[in-house]
Amino acid sequence: MTRAGLIALAFLPSALAAQVDTTARRDTTATRDTTAARDTTTALLPTFAPAIMPGPLPKGTRYTFTADSIILSSARTLSDLLSHIPGVYVARGGWYGEPEIVLYGGRGPSSLELYWDGMPMRPLGRDSVYLDPARIPLGPIERIDVIILPASLQVYLVTAQHRPTAPRTQVGIVSGRQDIADYRAGYATRTRSGFGVSLLADWASIGIGPIGNTTPPFGTSDIWLKADYVPPGGRVGASFQLSSASWHRAAQDSVDGWRQDRRDKMLRLFVAERDDGLGWRFTATLGTSAVSHDTLVVRRTTSAAILEASQTWRAASISGVARFGAAGAPQQLEARAGWMPLSPITLAGSFRQSFYVGNRYGWRTFGSAGLTLPLGFSARAEVAWQEDAEAPLVTTDAMHRTLDVAGWLRFENRRVTLEVGRGRRDPFAPLGFAAGIKTVDSLNPTPLTEFVAAHATLHVAPGFTLSGWFFDPVIGGGDFEPPRHGRVSATFYSKFWRVFKSGIFALRGEVAMESWSRSALGGLDTAGVRRAMTGSSFVDTNLEMQLGGVTLFWSVTNINIMRSSYVEGLGYPKSVQQYGARWFFTN
């Protein structure tokens, strides 16, 4: 029986084949339809979620600069943008190409934390203490988030992500006084399968300035390349980017000559539960940073791996981050959370522990609570405690313990936004000063400081806006934290809807003034002699016009021809003009 069954199975395929209808003939009239046109309709595809501080956050905690606000402003550097934050002082070594050190809260280098797509950006090489935000290219950036803490700023830079399947090309040209030349070329494309490539290149230079102007010749080239893959589902993705910045500054009496090349590489992967930002998400990042060709220091490379897991609900979020550094970069464990238990209440906070070279470790924690009140009012309270290092790559830096608090009251409606606050910062001893500015060697210790601050926006009429901020250390105050420091601006912006119904034309004009009072706290020179700050008021103008994808601009810096400067002993040019155009083409 068994043998008979096996024989039957062996002949089964032949029997089945014999039952096939061999009389059927292939229909030779059925041919491929070649008349159907290829689908060229532009589609919008998902991208990586922006690597920013998760919400919800109390009102007023976050400042956001979008791509439009970056383009439609006179800011050429990240330092220029950060000067819109109340209490920020930019110690400018001169004009374009010179150091632009951001100082906030009397905390020296620890007052500024920068993240490029979630990867910490640390100073390397000769500038291993203070990071100069002016040397960070803005060309690849489409969004900047600034989280305001009582004595520090957390800045999240989000690189451009091309969403449509239609390719885009951009070209830019800038010229002006002192033989300014700036050229930009960019291209981005995306396939329907989710693969995309973006390329941006910037070349800029400035020539010899007049006598007394501490803006020597300077040249830079920035190249950024990004390749990413996020399929239409939007729940997985991979991205690799390379950023190369090379710059060379000539030496002058009060400014050090400096040449440096910096290369940053980053690989990111993510997997998510959903494509709308809710649910769980896991992100892994590998990155390296290297500096070379410096005339004073040898090549240096650091690397880090980051693992982040998060869970997001409609009214809450929680995330955990583990950073594993190498070649001197610290190991860090961080937890962040935001929650709206009730509609008028918002709670947010973070905790971070860092492990440094030399068996050192530190902590930082921050908490904020917001309350929405009737009639457009809201209140916010903040507290930050730390026992941490100022500069992670300086192995001799001791831990600094501080406790800082601040409270804010906010009023907001369709016409007016006004926020006032008062805070207290513990004493602090800043570490050295930024390389590149020879007239200042170090900073005085900052005593216990109490400050008042305010910022406001008033929509006077359609298209016309007045805005500004004010900061005053009423008790204490540190170097480059001048009393009665403020910035005001008057802006006109209109798309002229009735004339150009398609909205392709827009006009923006701005007059802004930054002013501060005289102060005796302008840092220490190499002999330990205290330097002062002169009271100054600098007025800038900016005029921009958009027509379709073309933006034309003309800006004038120090139009009121002030003879003072941002750092005593350094010159600043008078009535400096620059003008140019940028085109965006959709192919």
Side-chain angles (χ1 to χ4, degrees), residues 7 15 21 32 61 77 124 184 208 246 258 277 364 389 457 465 471 493 516 559 561 564:
I7 294 174
D21 184 8
R32 181 181 178 183
T61 304
T77 66
L124 297 174
R184 173 177 296 180
I208 301 175
S246 302
W258 198 342
R364 292 194 184 194
T457 301
T465 303
F471 177 86
Y493 177 69
W516 61 87
I559 197 172
I561 317 179
S564 57

Side-chain angles (χ1 to χ4, degrees), residues 540-554:
D540 303 330
T541 62
N542 182 48
L543 180 65
E544 305 210 16
M545 181 180 68
Q546 281 188 333
L547 184 59
V550 181
T551 302
L552 308 175
F553 70 91
W554 173 45

